[in-house]
Amino acid sequence: MKTAQNLLAGADLDRLCIDTIRTLSIDAVQKANSGHPGLPMGAAAMAYVLWTRHLRGDPADPAWPDRDRFVLSAGHGSMLLYSLLFLTGYGLTLDDLEHFRQWGSRTPGHPERGLTPGVEVTTGPLGQGFGNAVGMAMAERWLAATFNRAGQPIVDHRTYVIASDGDLMEGVAAEAASLAGDLRLGRLIVLYDANRVTLSATTDVTFSEDVGARFAAYGWQVQEIDGMDVDAVDAALTAAEGDEARPSLIVARTHIGFGSPHKQDTFEAHGEPLGKDEVRATKRAYGWPEDAQFYVPPEAQREFDKVGARGAERHAAWLHLLRDYRAAEPELAAAFERALRGELPAHWGDGLPVFTPADGDMATRDAGARVMAVLAESVPNLVGGSADLDPSTRTMLKGKGDFQPADLPERTPPTQGLAGGVRGYAGRNIHFGIREHGMAAILTGMAHHGGVLPFGATFLTFSDYMRPSIRLAALSEAHVVYVWTHDSIALGEDGPTHQPVEQIASLRAMPNLLLLRPADANETVEAWRIAVRHRGGPVGLVLTRQKIPVLDRSTVAAADGVARGAYVLADASEGVPDLILIATGSEVSLALEAHRRLVAEGVHSRVVSMPSWELFRAQPAEYRGAVLPPAVRARVSVEAASPFGWERWVGLDGAIMGVDHFGASAPGPVVMAKYGFTVENIVATAKQVLARVAR
Amino acid sequence: MKTAQNLLAGADLDRLCIDTIRTLSIDAVQKANSGHPGLPMGAAAMAYVLWTRHLRGDPADPAWPDRDRFVLSAGHGSMLLYSLLFLTGYGLTLDDLEHFRQWGSRTPGHPERGLTPGVEVTTGPLGQGFGNAVGMAMAERWLAATFNRAGQPIVDHRTYVIASDGDLMEGVAAEAASLAGDLRLGRLIVLYDANRVTLSATTDVTFSEDVGARFAAYGWQVQEIDGMDVDAVDAALTAAEGDEARPSLIVARTHIGFGSPHKQDTFEAHGEPLGKDEVRATKRAYGWPEDAQFYVPPEAQREFDKVGARGAERHAAWLHLLRDYRAAEPELAAAFERALRGELPAHWGDGLPVFTPADGDMATRDAGARVMAVLAESVPNLVGGSADLDPSTRTMLKGKGDFQPADLPERTPPTQGLAGGVRGYAGRNIHFGIREHGMAAILTGMAHHGGVLPFGATFLTFSDYMRPSIRLAALSEAHVVYVWTHDSIALGEDGPTHQPVEQIASLRAMPNLLLLRPADANETVEAWRIAVRHRGGPVGLVLTRQKIPVLDRSTVAAADGVARGAYVLADASEGVPDLILIATGSEVSLALEAHRRLVAEGVHSRVVSMPSWELFRAQPAEYRGAVLPPAVRARVSVEAASPFGWERWVGLDGAIMGVDHFGASAPGPVVMAKYGFTVENIVATAKQVLARVAR
């Protein structure tokens, strides 16, 4: 490391640029009086080398499809990213930096996709960005294998990550790293900012493992370098780029809060402003003008401007390639560009199945499988898999191949659990392994990479494992489809560890997540139709393990009512009913039968199927009032899940038939009956409510 | 491996015993027509060696405190455990095995603590048992360091685990394993049932990493053996027990579904009964009587009976040791036995702080710190820590030492983030690292080990990372205290990635979890008091980052109302009010001020503080009706969190002031005001509701 020099005496240009990143970050954190200066100060050198010499992007078009992706997994170091976006011309202004962490600014505390041009994913909760990056690298490989043709590498980019100690302590990153190694994602390169200091302590206290050896065990290329040394970083990145058979981890030793006379290498540099005096002292140590705020030396700016110039050239070259590709492969090019725009092929929904009671009772997971068999053909960029539960979730895209590295002589040929069809990265079935959290983070990364519509499946109970990543998908509006089967205590013998109870309520509580629990096979078709079309966030499909009736749509309302979230399935008569039964999923057929018995006894009953609270809430008040007339207070909800939240629909006067404790191990029909989900019990409850409300 | 022999021709006794375990498991799964036969068949040999030659337990007293702990992390192989518990005399009967997975049986689909004698923890969701086991090993080390005296090793046992491929793919196990290595938990021994087959596939498809090398990188002793070879298992366990400086992973290669002519080594053996014909064929291959069901050869039973005999001897020897210990160390022995019984010291609650407005505004996290400083003295087995957030969660037990291996010359002396006080395993502050999920699984294991009252802290948002383990703590009724700070959008600048919104609702939806969100410093004292005393499940404390007023209890009701979940804080007048404002946490002081303004305007207003829904729901109907008179429908709830669920208290006619979208990065007071949490807005909303209800 060079010692600090007098800025005005012609400091080394690299150092000048690096210190510009550092001081911008320091000043923004100090002005906000909030934030994390330490990481930008320590990681500025390697970020500078990456952004100016390796990362391929066009600041004038942050959405250029063949750009390299950059993920700041250590999102608390957001000022590092904002400084780079500002300096390299992505459209951030000095004013944006000066409003770091302020209301309405484009520079929030942690990077948020959609808010700031050039921010690829929303990060901050540790480990998530790492998982997203694995998903981006997977999407790149799939698109390349699917769309590239000889001499026309229309998809040809890398995913770079800066990750912190904290990222690599998190299990989600461990899961994603193991899968990345297994999949030999050679286009993924992680700079590990090994500063050995976390928020509360040095990592010696709790993180003494050999991270490099661990990643080697996953099958990664591992290099250890001085992360403050520009040339070492450059060489390591070049070596990483040269190994396309393995993902790369560059263990870069850095100094948190570098240059701060009193805080370097301490946890005090991690998450608080340096303080005014220490800011001055640090700038003095850099040879920086002490009193300058948000200062960008012109020489440094000229150097950063080259990023834009080079990016524009590369982008232009790619557009040239794309023109040739369009000419040579017009159909493929059309499909490629449609996928990148996130559009669906025309007629994608044609041929989706229509079921009748003659099909026999059918689990909605099986109806889902029938839908997916059609979508496998009509939505060619539907790509995904399960966390080792295909035989149970029924989510394999048969004949569409397995997403696997091709031609690996040292790998035992897999003999089981495979989809058949094309091998290699063009396969559309991803084997996530028993890594639900990693799966969810990867799906978000795939969605935000663009070009694919990702799905992931597991049991509904295990959505808990995915939850931190679901939240970020919802926050960043990723279009992902989650298929959650085994949706209630009715799954039976596996018992309470596997029986979801509170999951449906807790997922409904999450903003931006659209949840659908279809009542039968035809509602499942409609739910999938909505899931494929939806924009603005992820969609969760909640499906049964057990067989349930296919409702006879000649006697009840059509299943396309799913699109409105809730609809009147059957009514005793015209006009306002005396009683409303509201049910979802497998309990709708029970409620319907109870309704029929009540009607036979002369009750003016109505039964409402409510597959999606979110869609229903988005309807106009008139529609909601027509389905659930405000004056009708005799209401009974029936859902084999936590009653939590159902007062929204039944109020203080109605009754909620739910499960307010954990499940039990026994055959599904036994558990359902013991927990009160019988037609008789619904009828009896309805009568009680009617009597109570009448009083 | 020996080939199958004719049972009646005097088979090898070990093999006879092992095949007894296998056939019991096969028969139970077949009879239930549900379950996982493959793991018990493949892991029976190593489980047999462990249980008959190494594991120290007394079947006559499954609660003997100094027993070795056994965790079947791969809970789907529950019949392996039930077979062993039956054969070694823990009180399970053949009838229990015949009712595997049936309603009301003691043999549920996955092992459940509390239901079956000898089951230490509830497992099934993969990776969790592994994490629990790390917690058990930590509790053992803490108790040993705290209570053992020279020549009196009153705490002196090991924790053994059988884990599967799936367990070791899960991030929660990775986090716990890393920490176990860091902490050098030499008393932890994991038999890894490396059968290379998961539910849907061979592990080649997705799990090609070198697990042994990974664990070596964590600092574990690693051995690789033939897990079907009795002598090899025995030798490996002996070697593992001989290394007290490192936890041990024994990578045991096994064959799933061993002996099944058509299903061995296939995923079909994983999760389904073998089928009647295959059961017969398998028994034939074992040299077993084909038609016998649940057959236990007398020679095998005699061998298994020795476990009980040896256990009784060891238990008796320990009781002898305990007698001597009581004589030599009466006070210590009393404390030890009280801790094991889960009892609190007399007067533990004395000296808890009482706050007044004169103390100034105070964040409830800081009030919590003041409480913990007292509890650190009065509850000597309160042990825990945070996921690298001590400086923010304020949960360090100052002066109570750091739970760390003592005397490790090769470790850099930690210089930061430490509590001070005793070093070594007697330290009471655990540095979990940035491993929230691992922390939560560990806490459950510590609680179920017994002898300690564990706590764990992080930001409320990151409770999402902990969720699968919280659920199992709730299901298995573990007494754990979670301290979740930074409890709302009011945390400010860190922005939406860190601002909880839906977490409170989703935690309230979970059965058996007691959640408390105190309104001020004095409610925080009461909340902690409840948390320490509570039994039957975990407790979550939801605390503010920001300062809030200390309510003047001379003008409002006393804070001990917290124990009833909700209480009338202030009333306009005697009798039934016209309007009820219900608030929790930091919003109570806003609601109180709004109430005062409304009263000044002549509204008969009431303000209710509702720190805990669960406690309030458990009150008699009269009390609930007195706090929230059913006839009063003009109700407004105020909570800076998802509105989800609040209709329970405000019905269809009231108003919910909440946050039904994600947060934003800006100073906390700005975010709160922008999101409508102001006194003016509460007053205005209340008037609207009053007007609406009056109509």
Side-chain angles (χ1 to χ4, degrees):
Chain A
M1 282 302 307
K2 298 188 182 65
T3 57
Q5 299 173 13
N6 186 317
L7 182 74
L8 304 177
D12 165 273
L13 184 59
D14 287 338
R15 179 61 192 271
L16 190 72
C17 292
I18 293 165
D19 286 345
T20 303
I21 297 169
R22 288 177 175 142
T23 53
L24 285 175
S25 301
I26 290 169
D27 286 340
V29 170
Q30 189 63 39
K31 184 157 196 290
N33 196 26
S34 170
H36 300 73
L39 186 143
M41 293 162 75
M46 61 187 187
Y48 164 73
V49 175
L50 172 61
W51 277 61
T52 58
R53 302 189 197 171
H54 293 266
L55 192 75
R56 203 172 73 153
D58 180 3
D61 181 4
W64 169 32
D66 201 38
R67 71 192 181 277
D68 289 336
R69 303 312 196 259
F70 173 75
V71 173
L72 181 65
S73 189
H76 56 278
S78 56
M79 267 313 303
L80 175 68
L81 179 52
Y82 300 147
S83 297
L84 287 161
L85 291 171
F86 162 66
L87 290 165
T88 59
Y90 276 81
L92 278 191
T93 64
L94 257 186
D95 186 71
D96 289 320
L97 301 193
E98 287 174 356
H99 288 84
F100 179 52
R101 295 183 157 233
Q102 303 309 307
W103 181 263
S105 84
R106 296 195 296 173
T107 48
H110 294 82
E112 294 180 38
R113 179 187 169 89
L115 200 57
T116 317
V119 170
E120 301 281 1
V121 286
T122 298
T123 54
L126 290 168
Q128 300 294 335
F130 188 105
N132 299 157
V134 172
M136 292 184 147
M138 288 166 65
E140 193 272 347
R141 286 294 78 186
W142 184 82
L143 289 165
T146 302
F147 291 107
N148 286 355
R149 289 298 178 265
Q152 297 184 309
I154 199 74
V155 180
D156 183 21
H157 55 267
R158 292 191 168 77
T159 302
Y160 295 92
V161 181
I162 289 181
S164 63
D165 291 302
D167 285 304
L168 300 192
M169 280 194 244
E170 292 283 5
V172 60
E175 292 178 19
S178 173
L179 185 59
D182 181 87
L183 292 174
R184 301 174 179 271
L185 298 175
R187 295 297 187 97
L188 174 66
I189 298 171
V190 177
L191 282 160
Y192 164 30
D193 178 40
N195 62 34
R196 316 297 296 165
V197 176
T198 61
L199 187 141
S200 79
T202 60
T203 55
D204 286 327
V205 175
T206 187
F207 193 45
S208 55
E209 66 167 66
D210 182 340
V211 177
R214 169 156 69 97
F215 275 71
Y218 293 141
W220 288 50
Q221 181 203 54
V222 176
Q223 304 176 71
E224 305 222 10
I225 62 163
D226 175 357
M228 314 298 288
D229 180 332
V230 165
D231 295 331
V233 172
D234 193 26
L237 284 169
T238 301
E241 290 153 2
D243 186 344
E244 295 236 332
R246 294 179 295 173
S248 291
L249 182 77
I250 300 171
V251 182
R253 301 280 167 200
T254 63
H255 296 279
I256 194 167
F258 175 79
S260 163
H262 302 100
K263 297 193 172 177
Q264 176 177 321
D265 297 323
T266 77
F267 74 106
E268 290 169 77
H270 179 93
E272 293 173 10
L274 295 179
K276 284 190 178 166
D277 292 345
E278 191 70 8
V279 168
R280 295 172 67 92
T282 303
K283 288 180 181 172
R284 210 155 46 227
Y286 293 156
W288 209 256
E290 287 182 33
D291 294 322
Q293 301 277 322
F294 296 95
Y295 176 61
V296 180
E299 307 91 313
Q301 187 59 66
R302 275 196 296 278
E303 191 62 18
F304 283 112
D305 287 344
K306 294 179 187 168
V307 170
R310 270 196 305 270
E313 275 172 41
R314 285 163 166 171
H315 190 177
W318 183 82
L319 288 171
H320 189 82
L321 187 69
L322 179 63
R323 266 195 306 276
D324 292 350
Y325 181 71
R326 281 181 186 140
E329 304 278 356
E331 278 188 43
L332 205 58
F336 175 62
E337 295 190 78
R338 187 174 56 229
L340 290 179
R341 286 193 305 269
E343 291 175 11
L344 293 163
H347 312 298
W348 67 271
D350 290 0
L352 287 173
V354 177
F355 299 97
T356 72
D359 293 310
D361 288 1
M362 187 183 300
T364 51
R365 65 171 170 166
D366 286 317
R370 296 273 297 274
V371 175
M372 291 181 78
V374 175
L375 296 176
E377 304 299 332
S378 68
V379 183
N381 65 338
L382 182 70
V383 179
S386 80
D388 191 49
L389 287 171
D390 294 328
S392 295
T393 57
R394 312 275 157 94
T395 44
M396 185 86 82
L397 303 174
K398 291 198 183 63
K400 296 304 175 191
D402 299 289
F403 183 81
Q404 294 272 320
D407 308 322
L408 290 173
E410 72 270 39
R411 174 172 290 222
T412 313
T415 54
Q416 299 179 336
L418 299 181
V422 61
R423 291 288 303 281
Y425 288 130
R428 288 165 57 192
N429 291 282
I430 301 170
H431 298 276
F432 286 104
I434 304 172
R435 305 180 179 105
E436 298 84 3
H437 199 177
M439 174 173 77
I442 286 168
L443 293 171
T444 305
M446 292 177 71
H448 286 324
H449 179 281
V452 295
L453 171 50
F455 71 91
T458 185
F459 292 166
L460 178 59
T461 309
F462 302 141
S463 65
D464 282 353
Y465 279 75
M466 305 163 67
R467 196 165 172 91
S469 299
I470 299 170
R471 183 174 213 257
L472 285 172
L475 175 57
S476 64
E477 303 188 2
H479 187 201
V480 172
V481 181
Y482 307 117
V483 181
W484 290 313
T485 66
H486 295 59
D487 73 347
S488 78
I489 53 170
L491 69 83
E493 291 91 341
D494 273 342
T497 56
H498 285 54
Q499 291 167 353
V501 171
E502 72 281 21
Q503 280 73 14
I504 290 176
S506 67
L507 291 166
R508 283 181 183 141
M510 188 183 289
N512 278 13
L513 172 65
L514 173 58
L515 200 73
L516 292 136
R517 186 173 188 240
D520 75 343
N522 288 307
E523 281 200 8
T524 307
V525 177
E526 298 308 312
W528 255 112
R529 206 188 298 272
I530 291 161
V532 168
R533 268 199 310 245
H534 187 66
R535 295 295 180 272
V539 183
L541 304 179
V542 173
L543 305 178
T544 71
R545 170 181 187 256
Q546 80 276 19
K547 291 184 177 184
I548 57 175
V550 176
L551 301 179
D552 181 357
R553 299 287 168 173
S554 69
T555 63
V556 299
D560 61 5
V562 173
R564 310 197 78 169
Y567 61 104
V568 178
L569 193 67
D571 236 346
S573 55
E574 298 278 314
V576 176
D578 295 329
L579 167 80
I580 308 176
L581 303 177
I582 314 169
T584 82
S586 47
E587 287 68 73
V588 171
S589 56
L590 291 179
L592 183 61
E593 182 55 30
H595 160 81
R596 286 177 175 148
R597 292 201 200 168
L598 288 161
V599 171
E601 296 185 32
V603 176
H604 284 249
S605 166
R606 163 179 291 184
V607 60
V608 170
S609 177
M610 188 181 272
S612 172
W613 289 25
E614 298 80 26
L615 290 177
F616 186 58
R617 292 191 77 197
Q619 299 305 310
E622 300 76 41
Y623 178 77
R624 285 185 279 121
V627 174
L628 301 178
V632 182
R633 293 296 173 102
R635 303 178 181 188
V636 178
S637 71
V638 194
E639 184 175 68
S642 170
F644 196 87
W646 270 102
E647 290 89 352
R648 173 168 296 169
W649 309 117
V650 306
L652 297 177
D653 307 301
I656 301 169
M657 297 179 63
V659 181
D660 64 0
H661 47 88
F662 289 111
S665 173
V670 175
V671 180
M672 286 292 275
K674 294 280 187 187
Y675 279 50
F677 294 97
T678 62
V679 172
E680 293 69 26
N681 203 25
I682 298 172
V683 169
T685 305
K687 289 179 180 174
Q688 284 164 17
V689 171
L690 273 170
R692 188 167 69 208
V693 171
R695 271 205 306 275
Chain B
M1 282 303 307
K2 298 189 183 66
T3 57
Q5 298 172 12
N6 186 318
L7 181 75
L8 303 176
D12 166 273
L13 184 58
D14 288 339
R15 179 60 193 270
L16 190 73
C17 292
I18 293 165
D19 286 345
T20 302
I21 297 169
R22 287 177 176 142
T23 52
L24 285 175
S25 301
I26 291 169
D27 286 341
V29 170
Q30 188 63 39
K31 183 156 196 291
N33 196 26
S34 171
H36 300 73
L39 186 143
M41 294 162 75
M46 62 188 187
Y48 164 73
V49 175
L50 173 61
W51 276 62
T52 59
R53 303 189 197 171
H54 293 266
L55 192 75
R56 203 171 76 151
D58 180 3
D61 182 3
W64 170 33
D66 201 38
R67 70 192 181 280
D68 289 336
R69 300 323 194 249
F70 173 74
V71 174
L72 181 66
S73 188
H76 56 277
S78 56
M79 266 312 304
L80 175 68
L81 180 52
Y82 300 148
S83 297
L84 287 161
L85 291 171
F86 161 66
L87 289 167
T88 59
Y90 275 81
L92 277 191
T93 64
L94 256 186
D95 187 69
D96 288 321
L97 301 193
E98 288 174 355
H99 288 83
F100 179 52
R101 294 182 159 235
Q102 303 308 306
W103 180 264
S105 84
R106 296 195 296 174
T107 48
H110 293 81
E112 294 179 38
R113 179 186 170 90
L115 199 57
T116 315
V119 169
E120 301 281 0
V121 286
T122 298
T123 54
L126 290 168
Q128 300 293 336
F130 188 105
N132 299 157
V134 172
M136 291 183 149
M138 288 166 65
E140 193 272 348
R141 287 292 79 186
W142 184 82
L143 289 165
T146 303
F147 291 108
N148 287 355
R149 289 299 177 264
Q152 297 185 308
I154 200 76
V155 180
D156 183 21
H157 54 267
R158 292 191 168 77
T159 302
Y160 295 93
V161 181
I162 290 182
S164 63
D165 291 301
D167 285 303
L168 300 192
M169 280 194 243
E170 292 283 6
V172 61
E175 291 177 19
S178 174
L179 185 59
D182 182 86
L183 292 174
R184 301 176 179 266
L185 298 175
R187 295 297 186 96
L188 175 65
I189 298 172
V190 177
L191 282 160
Y192 163 31
D193 178 40
N195 63 34
R196 315 297 296 163
V197 176
T198 60
L199 188 142
S200 79
T202 59
T203 54
D204 286 327
V205 174
T206 187
F207 193 46
S208 54
E209 67 167 65
D210 182 340
V211 176
R214 169 157 67 97
F215 274 72
Y218 293 142
W220 288 51
Q221 181 203 54
V222 176
Q223 305 175 70
E224 305 222 10
I225 62 162
D226 174 358
M228 314 298 287
D229 180 333
V230 164
D231 295 331
V233 172
D234 193 27
L237 284 169
T238 302
E241 289 153 4
D243 186 344
E244 296 236 332
R246 293 179 296 173
S248 292
L249 182 77
I250 301 170
V251 181
R253 300 281 168 198
T254 63
H255 295 278
I256 194 167
F258 175 78
S260 163
H262 303 100
K263 297 192 172 177
Q264 177 177 322
D265 297 323
T266 76
F267 74 105
E268 291 169 77
H270 179 92
E272 294 174 9
L274 295 179
K276 284 192 177 163
D277 291 346
E278 192 69 9
V279 168
R280 295 172 67 91
T282 304
K283 288 181 180 170
R284 212 154 44 228
Y286 293 156
W288 209 255
E290 286 181 34
D291 294 323
Q293 301 277 323
F294 296 96
Y295 175 61
V296 181
E299 306 91 314
Q301 187 58 65
R302 274 197 296 277
E303 191 62 18
F304 283 112
D305 287 343
K306 294 178 187 168
V307 170
R310 270 196 305 270
E313 274 172 41
R314 286 162 166 172
H315 189 175
W318 182 81
L319 288 171
H320 189 82
L321 186 69
L322 180 63
R323 265 195 307 277
D324 292 350
Y325 181 71
R326 281 181 187 141
E329 303 278 356
E331 277 186 45
L332 205 58
F336 175 62
E337 296 189 78
R338 187 174 56 229
L340 290 178
R341 286 192 305 269
E343 290 175 12
L344 294 163
H347 312 297
W348 67 272
D350 290 1
L352 286 173
V354 175
F355 299 97
T356 71
D359 293 309
D361 288 0
M362 187 183 300
T364 52
R365 65 170 170 167
D366 287 316
R370 297 273 299 272
V371 176
M372 290 180 78
V374 176
L375 296 177
E377 304 299 332
S378 68
V379 183
N381 65 338
L382 182 69
V383 179
S386 79
D388 191 50
L389 287 171
D390 295 328
S392 296
T393 57
R394 311 275 158 94
T395 44
M396 186 86 82
L397 302 175
K398 291 197 183 64
K400 297 303 176 190
D402 299 289
F403 182 81
Q404 294 271 323
D407 306 323
L408 289 173
E410 73 270 41
R411 173 172 293 222
T412 313
T415 55
Q416 298 179 336
L418 298 181
V422 59
R423 292 285 305 281
Y425 289 130
R428 288 165 57 192
N429 291 281
I430 301 171
H431 298 274
F432 287 104
I434 303 171
R435 305 179 180 107
E436 298 84 3
H437 198 176
M439 174 173 76
I442 285 167
L443 294 170
T444 306
M446 291 177 70
H448 285 325
H449 179 281
V452 296
L453 171 49
F455 71 91
T458 186
F459 293 167
L460 178 58
T461 309
F462 302 141
S463 65
D464 282 354
Y465 279 75
M466 306 163 66
R467 197 165 171 90
S469 299
I470 299 170
R471 182 173 213 257
L472 285 172
L475 175 58
S476 64
E477 303 187 1
H479 187 202
V480 173
V481 181
Y482 308 117
V483 181
W484 290 313
T485 66
H486 294 58
D487 73 346
S488 77
I489 53 170
L491 68 83
E493 290 92 341
D494 272 343
T497 56
H498 286 54
Q499 291 167 352
V501 171
E502 72 281 21
Q503 280 73 13
I504 290 176
S506 67
L507 291 166
R508 284 181 183 143
M510 188 183 289
N512 279 13
L513 172 66
L514 174 58
L515 200 73
L516 292 136
R517 186 172 187 242
D520 74 344
N522 288 308
E523 281 200 10
T524 306
V525 177
E526 299 306 312
W528 254 112
R529 206 189 296 273
I530 291 161
V532 169
R533 267 200 310 246
H534 186 67
R535 295 296 179 274
V539 183
L541 304 178
V542 172
L543 305 178
T544 70
R545 170 182 188 257
Q546 80 276 19
K547 290 185 178 183
I548 57 175
V550 176
L551 301 179
D552 181 357
R553 298 288 168 174
S554 69
T555 62
V556 299
D560 60 6
V562 173
R564 309 197 79 168
Y567 62 103
V568 177
L569 191 68
D571 236 347
S573 56
E574 297 278 315
V576 177
D578 295 330
L579 168 79
I580 307 175
L581 303 176
I582 313 168
T584 83
S586 46
E587 287 67 72
V588 170
S589 57
L590 291 179
L592 183 62
E593 182 55 30
H595 160 82
R596 287 178 174 146
R597 292 201 200 167
L598 287 161
V599 171
E601 296 185 31
V603 177
H604 284 249
S605 167
R606 163 178 292 183
V607 61
V608 170
S609 177
M610 188 182 272
S612 171
W613 290 25
E614 298 80 24
L615 291 176
F616 186 57
R617 293 191 76 198
Q619 299 306 309
E622 301 75 43
Y623 179 77
R624 285 185 279 121
V627 174
L628 301 178
V632 183
R633 294 296 173 100
R635 302 178 181 189
V636 178
S637 70
V638 193
E639 184 175 68
S642 170
F644 196 87
W646 270 103
E647 289 89 352
R648 174 169 296 170
W649 309 118
V650 305
L652 297 177
D653 305 301
I656 301 168
M657 296 180 64
V659 181
D660 64 359
H661 47 88
F662 289 111
S665 174
V670 175
V671 180
M672 286 291 275
K674 293 279 186 186
Y675 279 50
F677 294 96
T678 62
V679 173
E680 293 70 25
N681 202 23
I682 298 172
V683 169
T685 304
K687 288 179 180 174
Q688 283 165 17
V689 171
L690 273 170
R692 190 166 69 206
V693 171
R695 269 206 309 273

